[in-house]
Amino acid sequence: MAGGAPTHRSNRSPSLIVMHVVVLGAGLAGLATAYELAKAGVPVTVVEKADYAGGMACSWEKGGFWLDHGPHRFHSRDEDLIKHLYEVLDDDIVIRDRMSRIYMQGKFFDYPLKAMNVLKGLPKGLMIKAIWDYIWIRTTQVFKPIPDDNFENWVKKRFGKTLYEIFFGSYTSKAWKMPCDQISADWASQRISQANLWDTIVKTLNPPREGEVRSLVNEFWYPRSGGIGQIGRKYAEKIEEMGGRVLLETPVTRIEVEDGVAKRAICTTKDGEEIALECDELVNTIPLPRLLEALDPAIGEAERDAIKALRYLGIVFVYLEVQQPTVSPDHWVYLPEKHLTVHRISEFKNFSDADAPGDRTVVCCEITCNVGDEHWNMDIDEATALAESDLVKVGLLEPGTARGIDLHKLPYAYPVYDLTYKENLETLKRAAKQVKNLRTTGRQGLYRYNNMDHSIAMGRRTAKTLAKGVDARAEEVAAEQEYFG
């Protein structure tokens, strides 16, 4: 097989025929797939467009700091998945208790919301209004139920208009660059941990026992050194040690399909050489639209229209070095107010002490945008000035105390859950299923806004399905309407 690994008999069993699997994308889902396949003795090749492994969960060193693409944390109730993380990182892990807040009305509030914190922080008149709005909406629900047909309705019927406007609507419309009544209710059910205001009060006074709900998983795991990207680096290292291949700077340009079967992935190396990777099975973790555009024969007009309708938000990350030991105790802080451009900040030193020198820190400032707009096109000086101004306004920095040390941009940061995304996504998933030996998984492969533990679980289940021939139901991971944290 040109450029690929031949089908051969495994040395583990004289009767077991082993296939060659090609994995598109070296993000966490792709790497987890390849890692488990390599452990099972299955020949596997990962191809990745970037010059690093890890996808969005990558890290790099700059001026003595390890930088991530915003706040990444591994948290799970799955003991086997946690054990897997320790295996990949050789037990080199720190455990942290999550601290995150939201800045509103000139104050910092705990997030997820805690009833006592909100009661103490909001002005008395506003709090009375919020409680009255909640009672009113719950009463009117009895006679005229509000449908869960968009984000705004989902939140208002559970928290009332006042709390919706203060805590939920302002941040969401700012981050997503669209009105909340144009956003699917799926986003609310996955990203708001409490069922309603009463649920918030109950959980504050009587927190659930460990394992009952994902929403209050405060403990998380993080690499001791090397940033979150250490996971991807260790995956790649171990895959190659077990005989697999991870080809960086090798994007896929074409998938040749014959009689409904993907026969080979045509890729281009960093030297400009075109290589053909023969495959018995193909696992996709790159953005689903890009996969379908690479299929040969080409997809039809309906699929092309669906691709045009599915949208992504980009993020600009600007990294500010500050000449002080720390800026805040938080892992991250949400900034929903619309007079601020930055929508979230994170401080990596709070994830692991090894990520920054003791006398200095770095604050990562995130700005959501549409690719090509004014914020996307900012240079580091423009982004630094904007981010520093916002942090001064909320009282975290003094003017002139920060300098920009890096600027990164991700075009496929968030899949946009608008009101038509499900219909368009189903069109693309049906097209992918027409290729018999193609499996698409992970955040990008499923157009699903899930967490990193979900992506790893998807990859491991995909590998199990291929290695053992039993459907491990990878697509069911993070498919329920549950809070993702």
Side-chain angles (χ1 to χ4, degrees):
M1 295 182 178
T7 302
H8 67 284
R9 293 188 181 274
S10 167
N11 57 16
R12 296 188 179 191
S13 170
S15 63
L16 178 63
I17 299 296
V18 179
M19 80 288 286
H20 175 233
V21 180
V22 173
V23 178
L24 307 181
L28 294 181
L31 291 169
T33 301
Y35 178 85
E36 295 294 352
L37 287 173
K39 278 183 66 177
V42 177
V44 60
T45 301
V46 183
V47 294
E48 167 58 49
K49 179 179 180 180
D51 62 357
Y52 56 85
M56 290 176 60
C58 71
S59 304
W60 62 100
E61 193 172 12
K62 187 84 171 184
F65 300 95
W66 278 101
L67 308 179
D68 297 347
H69 283 132
H72 287 270
R73 65 185 179 122
F74 182 96
H75 63 115
S76 178
R77 299 193 305 256
D78 186 334
E79 291 296 329
D80 183 62
L81 198 58
I82 296 168
K83 182 180 177 181
H84 171 79
L85 182 70
Y86 275 85
E87 175 183 304
V88 173
L89 290 176
D90 297 320
D91 297 338
D92 195 26
I93 289 175
V94 295
I95 301 175
R96 294 287 184 262
D97 287 324
R98 164 182 171 167
M99 181 171 180
S100 56
R101 292 184 292 172
I102 185 169
Y103 180 83
M104 284 297 302
Q105 304 280 319
K107 296 180 180 180
F108 291 93
F109 295 88
D110 294 332
Y111 198 89
L113 297 179
K114 297 177 182 176
M116 295 302 108
N117 183 246
V118 173
L119 288 169
K120 291 178 181 178
L122 284 181
K124 185 176 180 180
L126 193 60
M127 196 65 250
I128 293 173
K129 185 174 186 296
I131 293 172
W132 170 252
D133 281 349
Y134 174 72
I135 295 172
W136 173 259
I137 200 72
R138 299 304 289 180
T139 302
T140 57
Q141 273 287 104
V142 175
F143 304 100
K144 189 177 181 181
I146 299 173
D148 282 336
D149 55 357
N150 60 60
F151 178 92
E152 180 175 322
N153 282 349
W154 191 100
V155 179
K156 279 185 175 179
K157 69 185 283 185
R158 289 165 174 81
F159 291 88
K161 181 180 178 181
T162 299
L163 289 182
Y164 161 77
E165 291 177 346
I166 294 173
F167 290 107
F168 303 108
S170 55
Y171 178 81
T172 302
S173 62
K174 173 183 172 179
W176 283 64
K177 308 296 182 188
M178 61 193 296
C180 289
D181 62 1
Q182 296 302 306
I183 299 173
S184 170
D186 291 352
W187 176 253
S189 63
Q190 293 174 3
R191 293 289 155 180
I192 298 175
S193 63
Q194 298 89 352
N196 51 51
L197 180 59
W198 177 248
D199 183 56
T200 304
I201 296 170
V202 170
K203 287 177 180 175
T204 300
L205 298 176
N206 185 29
R209 294 185 298 274
E210 183 179 356
E212 284 189 2
V213 290
R214 183 185 174 93
S215 60
L216 294 174
V217 175
N218 287 325
E219 190 175 65
F220 69 90
W221 293 261
Y222 191 85
R224 185 179 303 276
S225 59
I228 200 65
Q230 184 70 355
I231 299 174
R233 287 190 294 272
K234 294 296 287 186
Y235 264 136
E237 174 189 313
K238 293 186 175 188
I239 290 165
E240 295 192 322
E241 286 176 354
M242 291 185 288
R245 295 190 295 171
V246 180
L247 306 180
L248 303 178
E249 297 181 87
T250 307
V252 62
T253 55
R254 189 169 73 256
I255 305 295
E256 295 183 351
V257 180
E258 300 173 8
D259 298 323
V261 176
K263 291 293 187 179
R264 61 198 62 86
I266 310 302
C267 305
T268 305
T269 69
K270 62 181 178 182
D271 299 321
E273 177 188 1
E274 188 175 86
I275 61 173
L277 297 174
E278 305 283 342
C279 58
D280 298 294
E281 296 283 347
L282 182 67
V283 176
N284 174 65
T285 68
I286 68 174
L288 183 56
R290 305 294 81 80
L291 164 77
L292 295 177
E293 288 172 341
L295 293 181
D296 181 13
I299 56 176
E301 184 177 354
E303 289 77 24
R304 291 194 295 272
D305 288 343
I307 286 174
K308 291 177 184 177
L310 281 183
R311 296 175 47 226
Y312 291 86
L313 276 176
I315 298 183
V316 172
F317 302 87
V318 58
Y319 301 86
L320 305 182
E321 179 184 10
V322 183
Q323 297 294 328
Q324 61 190 57
T326 186
V327 167
S328 86
D330 302 279
H331 295 105
W332 63 92
V333 177
Y334 299 102
L335 303 177
E337 294 180 322
K338 293 186 177 179
H339 70 282
L340 306 170
T341 304
V342 173
H343 81 275
R344 184 172 63 179
I345 64 171
S346 49
E347 193 169 350
F348 306 125
K349 178 182 280 188
N350 296 335
F351 289 76
S352 175
D353 297 334
D355 283 351
D359 59 341
R360 294 173 290 145
T361 191
V362 158
V363 179
C364 171
C365 304
E366 299 174 58
I367 302 168
T368 54
C369 55
N370 292 305
V371 174
D373 70 14
E374 60 176 334
H375 292 138
W376 180 264
N377 292 327
M378 291 187 299
D379 61 27
I380 189 169
D381 292 332
E382 294 168 326
T384 296
L386 189 155
E388 182 181 14
S389 173
D390 280 359
L391 267 60
V392 169
K393 290 175 184 175
V394 301
L396 292 176
L397 288 182
E398 294 294 328
T401 59
R403 72 181 186 95
I405 62 169
D406 212 352
L407 182 73
H408 272 228
K409 301 176 183 181
L410 288 181
Y412 296 102
Y414 293 155
V416 176
Y417 284 15
D418 61 23
L419 299 182
T420 64
Y421 91 96
K422 281 185 176 179
E423 175 184 345
N424 294 309
L425 179 57
E426 283 305 313
T427 298
L428 301 191
K429 288 167 69 175
R430 283 195 299 270
K433 288 178 180 177
Q434 296 304 306
V435 182
K436 299 181 182 70
N437 61 336
L438 167 63
R439 300 174 189 278
T440 187
T441 192
R443 177 179 175 128
Q444 300 292 358
L446 292 174
Y447 194 82
R448 185 176 296 168
Y449 187 16
N450 54 259
N451 293 335
M452 59 188 300
D453 61 300
H454 295 133
S455 291
I456 292 172
M458 289 175 187
R460 298 184 74 209
R461 288 196 188 191
T462 299
K464 183 177 180 180
T465 297
L466 294 175
K468 296 188 176 182
V470 178
D471 186 1
R473 304 182 182 279
E475 196 168 333
E476 292 182 3
V477 176
E480 300 297 327
Q481 296 302 304
E482 65 167 313
Y483 175 66
F484 289 170

